[in-house]
Amino acid sequence: MQISLVGAGYWGSKLVKQLETIDGVGDVEIIDIKDGKTLKDIKYDNVVLATPAWDHYEQTIALLQQGKNLYVEKPLALTTEECLDIKSKIKNEQTLMVGHIFLYNDRVKKIKELLPKLGQIQHIEMNRLNWGRFQTKISTLHSLAPHDVSIIHY
C-alpha cells in the first residue's frame, strides 16, 4: 500500500516512523505544506493527515472530494457541525478514520478486560500525568479530551 502523509511537523514525523514499520506499507510520500506543496500534489489514494487541528476540517473536505481514503490525527474538526458535514461528504467506497491511539494501549485493553469482573461502574475519574504539547490555537477540550472520551467510551 502506498500512503501520502500530509504534515511533516511534530505528529507527522512520529507517524511516518510508525508507517515505515507496518508490513504492506510501501512508499510513503511526505507532503509538507510549509514547503509550498498543496493537497493537489498528493499522488496516492490513502492519506494520513497530520496538520494543525484548525486546518483539519477544510483539508479533510478537500481530500474527500478528491476521492481519498483518510486517517486524520485527532481531532477530526473543531465543531460538531464540521464533523457532521464531513460525515455527509464520505462516499460509500471511501474510508475515514480518526486517530485515537490510546485505544490500542496495553493498559487500556487490560482495564477493559477487567471491567466485567468489577460490576456496574458508577464513576470514572482520569488524571493526566503528561499534558503533552501546549496548544495555543485550540482549547484543551479539542487537544486532550478526545483521548479521554474515547477511552471511557471504549
Side-chain angles (χ1 to χ4, degrees):
M1 176 186 322
Q2 299 165 315
I3 297 176
S4 296
L5 172 72
V6 180
Y10 180 78
W11 282 112
S13 63
K14 292 178 181 293
L15 290 168
V16 76
K17 287 178 187 173
Q18 292 303 310
L19 289 170
E20 291 171 347
T21 68
I22 300 172
D23 287 338
V25 172
D27 189 31
V28 177
E29 168 193 42
I30 299 173
I31 302 292
D32 190 350
I33 306 275
K34 291 180 272 184
D35 288 344
K37 292 188 178 180
T38 70
L39 299 180
K40 293 179 183 176
D41 294 321
I42 294 172
K43 290 191 290 191
Y44 303 131
D45 289 333
N46 301 304
V47 178
V48 173
L49 185 62
T51 56
W54 49 89
D55 292 332
H56 287 183
Y57 170 72
E58 205 172 276
Q59 292 171 340
T60 298
I61 292 292
L63 291 166
L64 287 172
Q65 289 173 342
Q66 290 179 33
K68 306 295 186 188
N69 298 306
L70 290 169
Y71 167 92
V72 181
E73 187 53 52
K74 63 93 186 154
L76 176 60
L78 298 182
T79 68
T80 302
E81 292 78 18
E82 289 175 347
C83 291
L84 292 172
D85 188 41
I86 289 170
K87 182 180 176 188
S88 75
K89 304 279 193 282
I90 303 169
K91 298 178 184 114
N92 285 338
E93 66 278 1
Q94 286 179 300
T95 299
L96 174 65
M97 299 181 292
V98 181
H100 289 289
I101 58 172
F102 289 115
L103 295 185
Y104 306 101
N105 180 291
D106 290 336
R107 287 167 287 226
V108 173
K109 287 180 181 178
K110 186 65 174 177
I111 290 170
K112 183 172 183 166
E113 178 187 316
L114 294 172
L115 281 176
K117 298 173 185 171
L118 299 175
Q120 184 177 3
I121 303 300
Q122 304 271 333
H123 176 81
I124 296 175
E125 184 173 323
M126 299 178 90
N127 293 306
R128 285 205 167 259
L129 302 176
N130 180 350
W131 288 95
R133 295 184 64 210
F134 182 72
Q135 299 285 334
T136 58
K137 289 190 176 183
I138 61 173
S139 73
T140 307
L141 181 67
H142 292 106
S143 182
L144 301 174
H147 288 302
D148 297 343
V149 171
S150 67
I151 289 169
I152 292 168
H153 181 72
Y154 173 72

